[in-house]
Amino acid sequence: MKHRYLPMTEQDQQEMLKTVGANSIEDLFKDIPEEIRFKGELPVSKRLDEYALTTHLSALAAKNANTDQYPSFLGAGLYDHHIPSVINHVVSRSEFYTAYTPYQPEISQGELQAIFEFQSYICELTGMAVANASMYDGATALAEAGSLASAATKRTKLVVSAAVHPESRQVLHTYARGLGLDIVEVGTHNGVTDMAELAQAVSDDTAAVLVQNPNFFGAVEDLAAIGRLIHNHKGLMVVSANPLSLGLLEAPGKLGADIVVGDAQPLGIAASFGGPTCGFFAVSQEHMRRIPGRIVGQTVDRNGKRGFVLTLQAREQHIRREKATSNICSNQALLALCASVYLSVMGKQGLIEVGRLNLQKSHYAAGQLAKVPGVTLPYASPFFNEFVIKLPAGTSVADVNAKLLKQGFLGGYDLGRAYPELEGHMLVAVTERRTKEQIDQFVSLLEGCL
């Protein structure tokens, strides 16, 4: 019996060409016009043996400024948090990292239970009744929340705060075009949503108000007041939350949120140069049947033994596309497992302590940066682990960050990229991984770059 995975031989090639009626491989491309066909050799290196290839790739990887060697003060949606070593040990087990969608519950109990635990943790954190089995990321989760709100209220107007992550708002606008939704953005005041402008924008035809907490500037929003405002118009409040902050802040569900979404990246998921991450999505009981994706439910078999099954699978894979609650076709179960392991090893007290470290270290950094000549803190609103600084007039944030990088530090996010009115402003993130020495050195280097 021939081995089906042996490399193709010259004889194999000739037999296949004969079967399709071609004299050479070149004949297979004769329908492509000559003038647009590539000539010459591709700009790739010569083939390398295993050792040489590993050495080459290691040299390329060494060019990256990783956060183990470069203290990072860059956040803006992806954060340099501590990742307990146990997480990689668990998620590297082949039973998890090779698992796909658990359509056969009788052979997928481990995977189903892992997802069920993730859902349970999210409900505990957010104060909501039901959570689904994870989304792609926080941005798509927010857009899906807008879609749910529109369907639930039978309204098409969504009001979103400008303090929501710029990329999340872009994804929301993309969804809105396909769904026929009208997006209204309201501005900010003192680093948080402008309540006066929000009150003007919300009306009886508003499906939902979408806010982020802590918001993109790191500031804490007044969710209770926003909730009262939209609920007076029979609309919904959607909150995109940083899950790590919920060790200290009140759960959005207890402040009036109808839908709570977010990105689980702060919960033991590596930044990985921008992704992948894992979104979460939680709702109140009344919206359970509109939730996108699917839910893992707990039940018992005929013998009374606990078991887990997929339920409420209102996805386009299972029902007619026009009837589906979402067209998302997969979930981030392995990354959701990272979050579950993180929360289980940290525990309630650990989550409180790591949140407190983020709060205390960021406030220490803000206080030290405010002492640098020409640097000011433009906002007085309370913040979690991220805050805005204003550099001296005429200072280029990009130039400052380039200088900091040469000194071995990753600077903050240039807010002028997404907010032209905030040219010269930097968004600085300080997590539990930053030491006092690193913060003091960052402050000193920043002063030297001005």
Side-chain angles (χ1 to χ4, degrees):
M1 180 178 177
K2 291 185 177 180
H3 195 296
R4 61 185 297 187
Y5 296 115
L6 285 176
M8 184 175 63
T9 65
E10 183 67 27
Q11 180 181 346
D12 295 330
Q13 182 174 300
Q14 292 304 318
E15 289 177 354
M16 285 188 286
L17 287 171
K18 182 179 179 181
T19 299
V20 299
N23 295 320
S24 67
I25 290 182
E26 190 70 17
D27 287 348
L28 301 175
F29 304 99
K30 64 183 179 182
D31 291 336
I32 301 175
E34 190 73 23
E35 61 270 19
I36 65 171
R37 292 175 62 178
F38 179 78
K39 301 295 182 181
E41 295 184 2
L42 291 172
V44 296
S45 64
K46 296 179 180 179
R47 64 183 181 185
L48 303 174
D49 59 41
E50 181 179 342
Y51 177 75
L53 179 61
T54 302
T55 302
H56 175 62
L57 292 176
S58 296
L60 292 177
K63 294 181 180 181
N64 293 319
N66 67 76
T67 53
D68 287 330
Q69 297 175 320
Y70 288 69
S72 176
F73 290 84
L74 177 62
L78 283 172
Y79 302 94
D80 181 31
H81 291 293
H82 172 65
I83 299 177
S85 60
V86 66
I87 292 177
N88 283 333
H89 286 290
V90 174
V91 302
S92 295
R93 290 183 62 92
S94 59
E95 301 98 314
F96 288 119
Y97 72 68
T98 62
Y100 185 56
T101 300
Y103 289 123
Q104 295 176 273
E106 64 274 12
I107 62 171
S108 303
Q109 285 300 293
E111 180 70 13
L112 286 165
Q113 182 174 354
I115 297 173
F116 180 83
E117 300 296 347
F118 172 78
Q119 295 172 178
S120 302
Y121 279 127
I122 294 302
C123 288
E124 288 285 336
L125 280 175
T126 61
M128 305 303 288
V130 186
N132 73 358
S134 84
M135 312 291 288
Y136 286 136
D137 53 26
T140 51
L142 182 72
E144 293 281 351
S147 173
L148 187 157
S150 174
T153 61
K154 295 181 173 54
R155 302 173 181 177
T156 58
K157 177 182 174 183
L158 299 175
V159 177
V160 60
S161 169
V164 169
H165 197 298
E167 294 174 3
S168 295
R169 285 186 280 122
Q170 288 175 354
V171 173
L172 180 65
H173 279 281
T174 300
Y175 267 65
R177 281 197 295 272
L179 297 172
L181 304 180
D182 178 28
I183 307 297
V184 177
E185 294 193 4
V186 298
T188 63
H189 174 70
N190 196 27
V192 295
T193 304
D194 189 324
M195 291 299 295
E197 187 176 341
L198 182 65
Q200 290 291 322
V202 172
S203 62
D204 288 342
D205 63 351
T206 302
V209 169
L210 294 85
V211 293
Q212 181 175 328
N213 192 58
N215 64 30
F216 187 65
F217 306 124
V220 178
E221 297 276 4
D222 187 349
L223 296 184
I226 295 171
R228 288 192 296 270
L229 177 61
I230 183 60
H231 290 152
N232 285 339
H233 293 276
K234 310 299 183 185
L236 306 181
M237 179 167 68
V238 177
V239 177
S240 178
N242 178 340
L244 200 66
S245 71
L246 298 178
L248 294 181
L249 301 180
E250 181 65 277
K254 296 182 179 180
L255 295 173
D258 300 285
I259 308 171
V260 182
V261 299
D263 203 303
Q265 188 272 326
L267 304 178
I269 299 174
S272 299
F273 300 97
T277 61
C278 167
F280 61 86
F281 197 111
V283 298
S284 55
Q285 188 77 34
E286 63 183 295
H287 300 300
M288 178 177 66
R289 292 191 175 274
R290 296 185 181 275
I291 200 167
R294 63 278 184 97
I295 297 173
V296 173
Q298 180 177 265
T299 184
V300 293
D301 64 15
R302 71 175 79 181
N303 299 316
K305 184 178 179 181
R306 184 177 70 155
F308 302 91
V309 295
L310 284 176
T311 185
L312 295 180
Q313 301 180 74
R315 302 188 304 155
E316 51 81 26
Q317 287 181 325
H318 306 105
I319 61 178
R320 290 197 305 275
R321 183 171 183 173
E322 65 272 17
K323 296 288 186 180
T325 57
S326 170
N327 290 320
I328 283 184
C329 299
S330 189
N331 77 86
Q332 306 290 68
L334 190 65
L335 296 171
L337 179 61
C338 290
S340 296
V341 176
Y342 179 88
L343 290 168
S344 66
V345 299
M346 296 297 289
K348 181 179 179 180
Q349 189 58 38
L351 195 65
I352 293 172
E353 290 178 6
V354 74
R356 187 173 291 126
L357 284 173
N358 278 258
L359 181 73
Q360 293 172 343
K361 291 188 176 188
S362 60
H363 280 72
Y364 171 76
Q368 295 302 107
L369 285 165
K371 297 177 183 178
V372 175
V375 174
T376 59
L377 302 177
Y379 305 137
S381 298
F383 62 88
F384 177 54
N385 67 350
E386 213 162 7
F387 57 92
V388 178
I389 61 172
K390 182 180 181 181
L391 303 181
T395 303
S396 167
V397 176
D399 290 345
V400 169
N401 279 336
K403 293 176 182 177
L404 287 170
L405 186 61
K406 290 181 180 179
Q407 298 290 331
F409 278 72
L410 297 176
Y413 176 79
D414 182 358
L415 282 168
R417 296 174 57 185
Y419 301 86
E421 70 277 14
L422 295 180
E423 193 74 33
H425 291 65
M426 178 187 287
L427 181 64
V428 179
V430 185
T431 71
E432 76 281 3
R433 273 177 44 95
R434 299 286 71 83
T435 65
K436 181 178 182 298
E437 291 72 23
Q438 289 173 341
I439 295 171
D440 291 340
Q441 190 176 0
F442 174 73
V443 172
S444 177
L445 290 172
L446 181 71
E447 183 175 1
C449 293
L450 300 179

